[in-house]
Amino acid sequence: RKEVEQDPGPFNVPEGATVAFNCTYSNSASQSFFWYRQDCRKEPKLLMSVYSSGNEDGRFTAQLNRASQYISLLIRDSKLSDSATYLCVVNGGSSNTGKLIFGQGTTLQVKP
Amino acid sequence: ETGVTQTPRHLVMGMTNKKSLKCEQHLGHNAMYWYKQSAKKPLELMFVYSLEERVENNSVPSRFSPECPNSSHLFLHLHTLQPEDSALYLCASSHSGQGWSEKLFFGSGTQLSVL
């Protein structure tokens, strides 16, 4: 089983649509969770951290379900500029060690 | 501009060459990382340095040799690479120590092709 698993997609959606990505992780001791965004031929950039209580940043909402070891990202009112690959990222253990495990990424393509 | 600069952006080398990748960060961070990103695969952590000491070595072949002379600079020395080592090599930095921040800032990467 992969340590961090994502559906690679691609997800093709029209502008204005709501789209959700899911991610599962295998290490129950993981404590920190993130979504990164990677544009084509560019470096990954932090989109948002994921907190136990769930958190929202504008059109983006992240949720964490520790019992199911599941993370989600919801994008509302999709824009063309949201087209990118979204990487689910989990820390590698219970203590901060700098070891982050990346998922393969889910590719989103927003169409006009 | 993320404050993490990598050179060169592109590198083509033969299997018998020796080359080095360079990374410099201007963010005042004290942890630096090398990641490898191959096509259709997740980012793979190669090395982590915290306060110039290597704290993570993810079973990377010895043909990859990292060097961290200070907290702002990180090198990856390459020798006798294989074609399967062709990938995007990404450097990143963050804060470490008490309250280690796992928010990484990446450089633009070096696209390496081994012929």
Side-chain angles (χ1 to χ4, degrees):
Chain A
R1 184 184 173 186
K2 291 179 185 174
E3 291 182 273
V4 178
E5 202 143 6
Q6 296 181 251
D7 178 351
F11 283 58
N12 294 299
V13 303
E15 266 187 296
T18 295
V19 61
F21 306 137
N22 302 321
C23 167
T24 57
Y25 61 95
S26 62
N27 188 346
S28 60
S30 295
Q31 295 292 320
S32 306
F33 310 91
F34 308 90
W35 284 102
Y36 277 71
R37 170 191 168 133
Q38 187 171 23
D39 292 292
C40 189
R41 302 185 193 282
K42 296 284 185 76
E43 71 275 16
K45 292 184 180 177
L46 178 66
L47 178 66
M48 59 197 302
S49 301
V50 186
Y51 303 120
S52 297
S53 54
N55 49 303
E56 190 173 309
D57 183 2
R59 297 180 294 107
F60 298 81
T61 301
Q63 298 275 358
L64 168 64
N65 184 322
R66 285 188 189 273
S68 302
Q69 293 179 208
Y70 169 100
I71 305 159
S72 66
L73 177 68
L74 182 78
I75 305 176
R76 289 181 299 277
D77 188 23
S78 300
K79 311 289 185 193
L80 295 177
S81 57
D82 293 334
S83 298
T85 296
Y86 291 84
L87 306 173
C88 176
V89 185
V90 174
N91 87 317
S94 57
S95 60
N96 286 352
T97 60
K99 181 174 179 178
L100 293 183
I101 311 297
F102 283 73
Q104 184 182 1
T106 297
T107 299
L108 171 66
Q109 189 67 41
V110 181
K111 307 282 190 186
Chain B
E1 186 60 50
T2 64
V4 181
T5 305
Q6 284 187 246
T7 54
R9 292 293 302 272
H10 302 274
L11 178 62
V12 179
M13 59 188 287
M15 289 191 283
T16 57
N17 291 159
K18 288 185 181 180
K19 297 284 184 185
S20 295
L21 310 185
K22 180 182 175 183
C23 178
E24 185 174 356
Q25 60 94 4
H26 308 277
L27 300 170
H29 291 158
N30 54 11
M32 296 189 79
Y33 311 73
W34 280 116
Y35 277 87
K36 175 184 177 182
Q37 188 172 32
S38 304
K40 306 293 183 188
K41 288 187 176 180
L43 269 76
E44 300 170 49
L45 179 63
M46 299 176 74
F47 303 104
V48 182
Y49 276 83
S50 172
L51 301 169
E52 297 130 51
E53 280 194 31
R54 193 187 311 178
V55 298
E56 185 80 31
N57 180 345
N58 242 22
S59 303
V60 179
S62 59
R63 56 186 184 269
F64 295 91
S65 173
E67 179 190 359
C68 188
N70 55 61
S71 58
S72 299
H73 293 86
L74 183 66
F75 296 90
L76 188 63
H77 303 301
L78 316 171
H79 65 98
T80 59
L81 294 192
Q82 304 298 311
E84 60 265 28
D85 296 323
S86 298
L88 179 67
Y89 289 84
L90 290 159
C91 172
S93 70
S94 74
H95 288 293
S96 75
Q98 217 170 8
W100 189 307
S101 170
E102 291 162 315
K103 296 179 184 177
L104 300 180
F105 292 79
F106 283 90
S108 301
T110 296
Q111 186 66 54
L112 173 67
S113 297
V114 182
L115 304 179

